[in-house]
Amino acid sequence: MLTELDSRRIPIAAICAATTAVVRAPLLRGRRHTSNGLAYLREQVPQYREAATYIDAPAVRDDGLITASGLSDVEFAREIMAELDVPNENDRDRWAQLFRGGRIPDDES
């Protein structure tokens, strides 16, 4: 199913252990990605060969593929919204600040 969605250019989002399904599919093909750590991917998927495009970041979006660490729910959701271009970038930033920081951002942000 994942390869079919990818061939139709439908965005795919994977967080935590779901990133291993993306690797096994295989959907990376040089796309930047992240997970619960590079060692985690290597351990879970012995045939993993995309370390050169692994990014040590909470969430990564590249060409319709969104990946995130299991501890990065807010960043993951923000990248999904960015991929779908909803709402605008300023509102996405404010939303992320609200949910990551636990308080309503100042209007000047």
Side-chain angles (χ1 to χ4, degrees):
M1 180 192 294
L2 290 175
T3 54
E4 174 66 21
L5 293 171
D6 192 48
S7 72
R8 296 165 105 194
R9 310 283 302 153
I10 295 171
I12 295 170
I15 187 170
C16 197
T19 59
T20 63
V22 168
V23 171
R24 288 181 181 116
L27 298 181
L28 297 179
R29 295 182 323 276
R31 290 192 257 194
R32 292 173 298 123
H33 61 284
T34 195
S35 183
N36 295 327
L38 186 54
Y40 171 82
L41 280 180
R42 287 178 168 154
E43 180 180 311
Q44 298 299 313
V45 188
Q47 70 271 25
Y48 174 71
R49 301 288 182 265
E50 295 282 346
T53 53
Y54 182 87
I55 306 296
D56 187 17
V60 174
R61 180 169 53 99
D62 188 358
D63 193 29
L65 177 65
I66 303 127
T67 53
S69 157
L71 299 174
S72 303
D73 54 341
V74 171
E75 295 82 0
F76 181 61
R78 189 193 183 292
E79 291 301 327
I80 292 170
M81 289 187 277
E83 182 69 25
L84 300 175
D85 199 28
V86 294
N88 64 51
E89 185 173 0
N90 184 56
D91 287 345
R92 285 191 303 267
D93 289 344
R94 289 178 47 80
W95 177 89
Q97 289 174 353
L98 171 66
F99 282 93
R100 186 50 70 205
R103 66 176 74 99
I104 297 173
D106 295 331
D107 286 336
E108 299 172 23
S109 314

